[in-house]
Amino acid sequence: QVQLVESGGGSVQAGGSLRLSCAASGDTSNYNLMGWFRQAPGKEREGVAAICVRRYRVYYADSVKGRFTTSQDTAKNTVSLQMNSLKPEDTAMYYCATGVYSGGSWPPLRSEYDYWGQGTQVTVAS
């Protein structure tokens, strides 16, 4: 079992920044994939970023490329999402997730994530 806890959400003005963190605990040793997803009201959950440090792979959705950066501290079992130049359309609940990436297609499918956090709300005012 793996537990994920997100933090760092909040409300900001457009153009501002937030840094989300996700702390993993439990039996994390076999899980090499971390991802960030978001879901706005009335919309489907979408992948925002993914990272597999051991395989030197990083993914960003086109909508956040150049504005968001994800990084992982494997020693601390944490992953972060630095969000800059935030836009009102970035408003959503943000989730982190973990799974096992075995070198298949990139970015991984959502079904490859086994554990999910409870989410943290990000609200960007115009």
Side-chain angles (χ1 to χ4, degrees), residues 82-105:
Q82 178 66 43
M83 307 186 295
N84 299 327
S85 301
L86 283 161
K87 304 175 181 180
E89 50 264 43
D90 294 319
T91 295
M93 185 71 80
Y94 283 72
Y95 302 87
C96 69
T98 190
V100 178
Y101 176 63
S102 302
S105 63

Side-chain angles (χ1 to χ4, degrees), residues 24-61:
S25 61
D27 188 14
T28 63
S29 59
N30 293 327
Y31 294 88
N32 62 351
L33 171 66
M34 297 296 293
W36 288 97
F37 293 77
R38 67 186 181 187
Q39 188 167 19
K43 295 188 177 181
E44 292 189 359
R45 190 171 296 190
E46 63 171 344
V48 174
I51 184 169
C52 180
V53 173
R54 298 176 196 173
R55 293 182 179 265
Y56 308 100
R57 306 297 295 267
V58 180
Y59 160 79
Y60 297 100

